[in-house]
Amino acid sequence: TAVQPVAGFQKVEDFYFHADFMVPTNEENILPEWQIHSGEWDIHTVLDDALEQKTPAKKRKRQPDPERSPNFYSLTGTGHVALITTGYSFYDHYQLEAAILTKPGEMGLVFYFQNPSNYYAFTIQLDRDYTRPAVLGLWKTDPVGTTIQRRQLAAVTTQMLPDQWVMSRVVIGLNRVQCWLDNVMVIDVPVELPPGGCGGLMIDSALPVRFDDIEMQSTRELDLRTCG
């Protein structure tokens, strides 16, 4: 006889996650709470900026102190559809936010992530020549045979410059997704959502993209649209 599936319940307490990327000395695993699925990901420091800008050696001797310098560490990634996630597959009803230093290409947040072919994303797309407005898009990936197809759920355009820090945020729950940029809600749409998924970041760019101030926390706010 066939084995009948057994229904179960996953008890989930409210959660809060904040990433400041402070790496203990001699720590081999620099991203212990993250899972890299694709692309190149690493920790970026203020000292890296000094080297990139060819700061004179005399000034580099006065190195910033990680404990006293704001935003000393950040996360940097690059690659074609580079993905990194945190959390658990059963996380639902949460908000995820991150500061992003914009670059040419596409970058943003992923949520309700089950695997690299099944997730949702809110991203910023910037042209290399910056002649067209930036596209803020909400989309989902769907596996189709051996390929992965993207399904656009909503999109808006806005003027945006490169090398600009912006704060991106998504609020998910009760079959609704709200997308925010710098505390302005730019997308608010009903979406038939799965039970849950991890949260994370996505990049499609040949240039390194930096992320900072990443927070993920559960939310139980009542959607007033359902009240009669």
Side-chain angles (χ1 to χ4, degrees), residues 141-152:
T141 58
D142 294 303
V144 179
T146 58
T147 65
I148 302 173
Q149 294 187 0
R150 178 188 295 196
R151 177 158 47 96
Q152 194 80 23

Side-chain angles (χ1 to χ4, degrees), residues 3-73:
V3 177
Q4 297 297 321
V6 178
F9 296 92
Q10 175 70 53
K11 184 178 180 181
V12 182
E13 296 182 351
D14 289 347
F15 60 88
Y16 175 79
F17 169 78
H18 172 75
D20 56 15
F21 304 109
M22 291 282 288
V23 182
T25 304
N26 300 324
E27 176 64 49
E28 294 184 2
N29 185 2
I30 61 175
L31 296 170
E33 297 174 307
W34 296 85
Q35 181 177 358
I36 297 174
H37 302 276
S38 54
E40 300 292 330
W41 298 88
D42 203 352
I43 300 297
H44 181 95
T45 73
V46 173
L47 299 180
D48 296 327
D49 289 334
L51 294 175
E52 291 171 4
Q53 297 169 9
K54 298 182 179 180
T55 303
K58 289 183 179 180
K59 290 186 177 180
R60 287 205 303 269
K61 289 181 180 179
R62 300 191 298 270
Q63 295 183 356
D65 185 344
E67 296 182 356
R68 298 182 179 180
S69 301
N71 301 326
F72 186 91
Y73 297 101

Side-chain angles (χ1 to χ4, degrees), residues 91-207:
Y91 277 4
D92 69 343
H93 292 80
Y94 60 80
Q95 70 176 35
L96 170 69
E97 67 179 33
I100 305 172
L101 183 60
T102 57
K103 295 290 183 180
E106 185 174 18
M107 63 232 74
L109 310 174
V110 300
F111 56 96
Y112 277 37
F113 180 100
Q114 293 296 326
N115 56 62
S117 63
N118 186 3
Y119 61 92
Y120 292 78
F122 170 52
T123 57
I124 302 167
Q125 294 184 56
L126 275 173
D127 286 340
R128 180 171 294 276
D129 55 8
Y130 316 120
T131 58
R132 289 181 288 184
V135 177
L136 311 178
L138 172 64
W139 46 272
K140 182 188 183 303
T141 58
D142 294 303
V144 179
T146 58
T147 65
I148 302 173
Q149 294 187 0
R150 178 188 295 196
R151 177 158 47 96
Q152 194 80 23
L153 303 176
V156 297
T157 59
T158 186
Q159 296 296 327
M160 187 178 296
L161 297 175
D163 298 312
Q164 174 184 353
W165 280 104
V166 297
M167 179 61 75
S168 181
R169 181 168 81 247
V170 291
V171 182
I172 318 110
L174 296 174
N175 285 331
R176 194 164 203 92
V177 177
Q178 294 179 340
C179 304
W180 300 69
L181 190 72
D182 288 338
N183 292 320
V184 176
M185 187 167 60
V186 294
I187 294 174
D188 181 10
V189 293
V191 179
E192 188 173 346
L193 295 169
C198 302
L201 309 168
M202 174 268 184
I203 298 170
D204 194 347
S205 175
L207 297 175

